[in-house]
Amino acid sequence: MMKKTAISLACAAVATIGISSTAMAGGWETDRAGGFNSVYTYTPDDVSPVGNGRSLMIVLHGCTQPINNYKTANLDKVAEEWGMVVAVPDAANKQGFSCWGYWTGSKSRSAGDYKNVINLAKEYIDDASKDIDPNQVYVAGLSSGGAFAMTVGCLAPDIFAGMGLDAAPSAGTSSSGAMGPKESSVSQTAQRCKSYAGSYASEFDTQITNTAYGTSDSTVNTGYGLQNASAMASIYGVSKLSGTNSIEGRAKETLWDGPDGTNQVSMLELSGVSHAWPGGSGARGSYIDGSNINYGMYLAEYFANNNLRVDRVVDEYAPVVSGLEVTPSEDGTSVAVEATVEAAADTTLTAVTVIIDGEEFESPLDGYVSVETAISGDDHKVEIIADSVDAEGNPHQTIKKKSFSTAEDTGTGTGTGSLPGMGSGLGSLPGMGSGLGSLPGMGSGLGSLPGVGSGIGTGVSSSWCSMMPWMSWMCN
């Protein structure tokens, strides 16, 4: 197996920060910021387990994808578990099919939506009520949003400590380059990214990147995942490690090395996922996948574990909590929690507490945690708090958290080509009935045009985008 990051997230108990009325902790709010007319923002109660304050992840939507879809992508769980403010802006300068215009206009920190994304990050950093650590600011996106995130991450590596690029064409790709053979090469992509950075290129030394793609994506060439990862690894000067890791049995992780035991680049192959942002069990919405891992949760953990800019205080005397397994019953009415807890050298365990949905269970100090209890509802949180003292009586603590859902997996949003505002048909445009790909004011036929009869193929299961491959790049 490939090595994972060696950095522990052992930390003292996190205190809840008082939030002013301008930032409603623990909920989504609609904002106007950075030059965007609409930004959905989630501000959690807790702070990041590393650094000072909360982290910030700006998530850029795909083509035709309304930003409210990300409110049902389990990003609230990501925010709460990792002390991360999540901001989802609606592109202000949309191109065809509401895409982010990564292929057009000036690639400049002072131009268009590049400026707006950067200004959004700066405004939120300056907002004391959000308590954002400027060393923990990240940008991520799906498809056109992923390509745009890569471009803005290359333009401003001083601001963005990490990038998450899901189903993303490479920065600088043309409007039609997402489909078919990859454009450019690893070296050309790396050179282009460095040229965007200009005088900020030295900041790449402490930036990290994840790329991801679904193995069933028929919209964007899946080869861009490896091309983008390899290009950033080339810029960072790091090497790919041998082997892969399995993530929840649903994704394959490839890692590149980094300073001090970190992994400066990672890549995910998401089994069976089409062209979508993976939100984990219960996630739904167009271009939101509910069948695989929670990609936002993966990014938050990857960013926290590997961030090269935060001041880490690694407590070598803190207990080690490992092998945390959370197993809900098939009917979702109970859960079993197991883990191993070990005291560090020259220390003694004093307490091991398991908290399941707010209910506390004291575990024996024999190094093994095993708790089973009844649960109700869909969304749950498990915490293990291990306390110890060293030979001089100084206290040490490790907190391990895990969220899970017992909601039935609807599998919604996993198909390609679905557009917003549809009825029961897949790929219908706003104002449609049940037909597939009908245009506004049409009947139920496939691809019917004004003044034309009902068309053909009512109820066909393939998407409008896949029926018109020469325009598929616009459909995310």
Side-chain angles (χ1 to χ4, degrees), residues 10-29:
C11 59
V14 177
T16 299
I17 304 297
I19 304 297
S20 75
S21 60
T22 59
M24 300 294 288
W28 287 101
E29 61 178 340

Side-chain angles (χ1 to χ4, degrees), residues 179-209:
M179 298 290 291
K182 297 190 310 297
E183 288 187 351
S184 305
S185 64
V186 169
S187 61
Q188 289 170 327
T189 302
Q191 183 56 43
R192 187 181 294 136
C193 181
K194 287 189 290 186
S195 72
Y196 294 163
S199 62
Y200 296 96
S202 63
E203 302 291 342
F204 285 129
D205 291 345
T206 56
Q207 190 187 64
I208 62 178
T209 294

Side-chain angles (χ1 to χ4, degrees), residues 327-361:
T327 308
S329 62
E330 289 187 5
D331 61 4
T333 61
S334 65
V335 65
V337 177
E338 296 182 343
T340 300
V341 180
E342 299 176 274
D346 302 319
T347 68
T348 303
L349 283 175
T350 57
V352 177
T353 305
V354 181
I355 305 175
I356 302 174
D357 293 343
E359 184 177 2
E360 296 188 4
F361 303 86

Side-chain angles (χ1 to χ4, degrees), residues 397-410:
Q397 185 179 76
T398 296
I399 301 176
K400 195 85 168 182
K401 299 181 181 181
K402 187 175 183 67
S403 296
F404 67 98
S405 175
T406 53
E408 290 188 8
D409 184 3
T410 62

Side-chain angles (χ1 to χ4, degrees), residues 11 101 118 157 185 216-217 241 250 305 329 470 472:
C11 59
I118 291 170
S185 64
S216 297
D217 189 343
L241 303 175
R250 299 176 178 182
N305 282 350
S329 62
W470 60 90
S472 293

Side-chain angles (χ1 to χ4, degrees), residues 149-284:
M150 183 177 189
T151 307
V152 79
C154 292
L155 285 168
D158 54 316
I159 295 173
F160 297 103
M163 299 185 286
L165 314 176
D166 179 25
S170 296
T173 302
S174 72
S175 61
S176 58
M179 298 290 291
K182 297 190 310 297
E183 288 187 351
S184 305
S185 64
V186 169
S187 61
Q188 289 170 327
T189 302
Q191 183 56 43
R192 187 181 294 136
C193 181
K194 287 189 290 186
S195 72
Y196 294 163
S199 62
Y200 296 96
S202 63
E203 302 291 342
F204 285 129
D205 291 345
T206 56
Q207 190 187 64
I208 62 178
T209 294
N210 165 266
T211 70
Y213 64 90
T215 59
S216 297
D217 189 343
S218 60
T219 302
V220 169
N221 190 309
T222 58
Y224 281 119
L226 180 58
Q227 177 163 292
N228 292 339
S230 299
M232 298 315 299
S234 173
I235 293 171
Y236 301 155
V238 296
S239 301
K240 186 166 71 170
L241 303 175
S242 61
T244 59
N245 299 309
S246 175
I247 307 296
E248 300 180 18
R250 299 176 178 182
K252 185 166 67 175
E253 178 190 52
T254 302
L255 297 173
W256 284 252
D257 61 10
D260 302 320
T262 61
N263 299 116
Q264 204 164 353
V265 177
S266 76
M267 181 181 71
L268 292 180
E269 298 175 60
L270 303 156
S271 179
V273 174
S274 57
H275 194 64
W277 175 280
S281 178
R284 62 190 186 277

Side-chain angles (χ1 to χ4, degrees), residues 33-36 92-93 109 111-121:
F36 295 110
N93 299 286
R109 294 165 69 107
D113 278 335
Y114 300 118
K115 177 181 69 174
N116 293 340
V117 173
I118 291 170
N119 284 346
L120 175 60

